Every structure is written in C-alpha cells, then in structure tokens.
Amino acid sequence: MNWSEKLNAPFPFYLNDDRKNVVLITVITAFVIAFMYFFKLPNDLSLTLGQHFLFGGITFVCLIINIVWLPRVFPNLYDTENWNLKKYILLNIWHLVLIGIGSSLLDIFYICPEKTVIENIIEANSRVVVKGIIPIALTTLFLRNTMLQQNLKSALQANKELQKIQSLKREPAGKNNNTVTLYSDTSETLSLNLPDLLYVQADDNYSTVVWQNGDGIQKKLLRANLKSIESQMDNVFTMRCHRSYLVNINAISLVSGNANGYKLKILDTDILIPVSRQKSKEVMEKISQWRNVMELS
C-alpha cells in the first residue's frame, strides 16, 4: 500500500456519537491538564493549578467546536461517513492551530503580558505542539482500535448469519425461475443459473461475470457497465458491495474485518472481494435479511 492509499484509507470520525465524543473530549482535556501539570519543560511557565485549568478549558472548547459543533453546521464539509486518515491528520493540525490561537491570547492578555506579542505567540504554539503530540497519538491508537473492534464484531456476526445462509441449495437451471440472461451493449448475451453466480467485477464499460458449475470457475467478459448488469440481476441473490463489484450472497463463505473495513471471501476459492465503506452497513443488513428469508422458506 503506497502513501496515497494509506492516507485515503478509512478512519473513524472519532466515536460518531455526540455524547460519546463529549466524554472522549473531557478525558482528553483531563489528560492534557495532568500532562501539563506534571510534565514540565526547562523553559515552561510557572503556572498555578487554576491557570492549567484555563489552558485545559481552551482545549475543551476548541475540540467541542471542531468535533461536535462544526460537523453539524457544515455536514458536507466534514462528510464524517467518508472520513479517512488524511482528513483526520488535517483536522488534528487544525486542532493545534485553534488551541495555539487560544493559548496565545491567554498568554498575551493574562499569563505573560510583559512579553511581546511575538514572543507569546511563539512560546504558546511551541508548547501546544510539544505537549499535544502524546494526546493525539494516544487518541489515534484508541480510535483505530475502536474501529478494529467494531469491524471484527460486525464480521463475526455476519459469519454467523452466513453459516445459516449456506443451507441454500443450488437448483438446476430452469427451475424456480433462477435463470437469468444478461445482455451486453453488443449482440452478445450470457445465460446462467443465478445460484451459480459468484461475483461480477466491473472495469469501466466492461464487466467480468464469474460463476461456478461442474467444469469449475467460469468467466465471461461482457461489454456492459456494472449498473446495467445490476439492473438485469434485480433479485434477492445479488448485492452491490463496491463500486466495482456485484456479489452473490450465497457465494460468500466468510466476512473478514480489520481497521480498514471488510472483505468477502468467495466460497471454495481464495478470492477476496472488497466492501466499500459506503456499502458496509447495507451489506451487513442484507446478509441478515437473507438469513431471515432462509429461515422462513
């Protein structure tokens, strides 16, 4: 994975819940106050406990603004559903800038009015950067671990549902209306038994249909985009899990989850199909719904 892919990898927008985020911000603020009080650099100001709480208050207010208030006011700018590592890094830089501004004003007008404005700005921002690294690092580890645990939990639940779904029996082509004919943009067509379908992979205006029969895994390239294929396969078997993939639910043998999201393992193969973050909730819900259908059938 190159740097561009790493920076665009999914990352949680904190805890995606205002109440939980307020608790998290409170914990971060308490840590900052304790860290400033007990960890002192040689050139640090001699501050009272009350003055430490003032700087902690600046931290609390700035984080509330950035994490709770601004996403409500500018939802399109924040787009928390599609948050990634790059946006998280930029937001943390903005945290430091905003806290640095508040700390500079506090130094200029209250803590060190005898110093020049430039001196106060430099010292305040240096203090914010040096003492902000550890809270940011700890918060990042906590958020990444939280996302990993959530994904693993969801994957475990999905795998339990899949164990029940595997009871679906393949029907011979022509029975129960399971045969579908796919039409390409040319005169070429493909007829197959839907339960035999594994997945469809798109590449621009072409789609590769992959299915399994008595001769093993078969593939056919059709000149048709994935949206066209999806509309032709309008049924309970298939679901869109990624902008480039359409998958048969009954062909999924395992859902794996990590900090970067989910992947679907195709039955009796080593093929792993990615699940986009936008589709992850829909995929998990459809697996659960299909399990309910199987139990009722």
Side-chain angles (χ1 to χ4, degrees), residues 17-40:
D17 180 276
D18 285 348
R19 291 183 179 180
K20 292 180 179 179
N21 280 331
V22 170
V23 173
L24 177 63
I25 291 168
T26 303
V27 172
I28 293 171
T29 300
F31 178 86
V32 167
I33 293 171
F35 188 62
M36 289 179 62
Y37 186 78
F38 292 107
F39 178 73
K40 297 184 182 295

Side-chain angles (χ1 to χ4, degrees), residues 172-186:
K175 291 185 179 181
N176 291 336
N177 237 0
N178 284 337
T179 302
V180 65
T181 299
L182 302 176
Y183 298 89
S184 69
D185 295 339
T186 62

Side-chain angles (χ1 to χ4, degrees), residues 69-181:
W69 186 69
L70 286 178
R72 288 183 176 183
V73 178
F74 303 106
N76 293 330
L77 177 63
Y78 272 71
D79 192 16
T80 57
E81 292 296 322
N82 296 306
W83 206 249
N84 56 32
L85 183 59
K86 178 173 64 178
K87 294 177 181 177
Y88 175 76
I89 292 172
L90 291 174
L91 183 58
N92 274 282
I93 293 173
W94 175 236
H95 290 335
L96 295 177
V97 169
L98 198 58
I99 295 170
I101 293 171
S103 298
S104 297
L105 294 173
L106 190 60
D107 279 1
I108 291 169
F109 294 106
Y110 178 63
I111 304 295
C112 302
E114 71 280 1
K115 293 184 179 181
T116 65
V117 172
I118 297 299
E119 286 176 332
N120 277 317
I121 291 174
I122 292 174
E123 290 179 8
N125 283 276
S126 299
R127 187 169 64 245
V128 168
V129 171
V130 171
K131 296 192 176 182
I133 291 174
I134 292 180
I136 288 174
L138 292 175
T139 302
T140 301
L141 290 174
F142 169 74
L143 293 174
R144 187 170 181 82
N145 183 66
T146 299
M147 181 171 66
L148 174 61
Q149 294 302 318
Q150 290 174 345
N151 287 348
L152 288 175
K153 183 179 179 181
S154 296
L156 181 62
Q157 181 62 36
N159 287 326
K160 289 179 180 178
E161 308 287 5
L162 284 171
Q163 289 176 1
K164 299 175 182 179
I165 292 176
Q166 296 309 323
S167 61
L168 175 67
K169 295 180 179 180
R170 295 174 182 272
E171 298 288 346
K175 291 185 179 181
N176 291 336
N177 237 0
N178 284 337
T179 302
V180 65
T181 299

Side-chain angles (χ1 to χ4, degrees), residues 188-249:
E188 196 170 20
T189 62
L190 171 65
S191 294
L192 75 155
N193 188 31
L194 263 178
D196 292 334
L197 176 72
L198 297 180
Y199 65 95
V200 182
Q201 181 177 4
D203 184 9
D204 291 331
N205 292 322
Y206 290 87
S207 296
T208 301
V209 182
V210 183
W211 72 99
Q212 192 172 41
N213 56 26
D215 299 324
I217 294 178
Q218 307 292 313
K219 296 183 179 180
K220 186 173 182 63
L221 182 67
L222 296 176
R223 183 177 173 82
N225 60 38
L226 197 59
K227 185 176 181 180
S228 172
I229 296 293
E230 184 179 17
S231 65
Q232 295 179 60
M233 286 188 175
D234 184 18
N235 60 83
V236 296
F237 288 103
T238 56
M239 64 178 175
R240 186 81 165 262
C241 63
H242 189 276
R243 62 185 176 85
S244 300
Y245 287 93
L246 188 71
V247 67
N248 179 0
I249 298 177

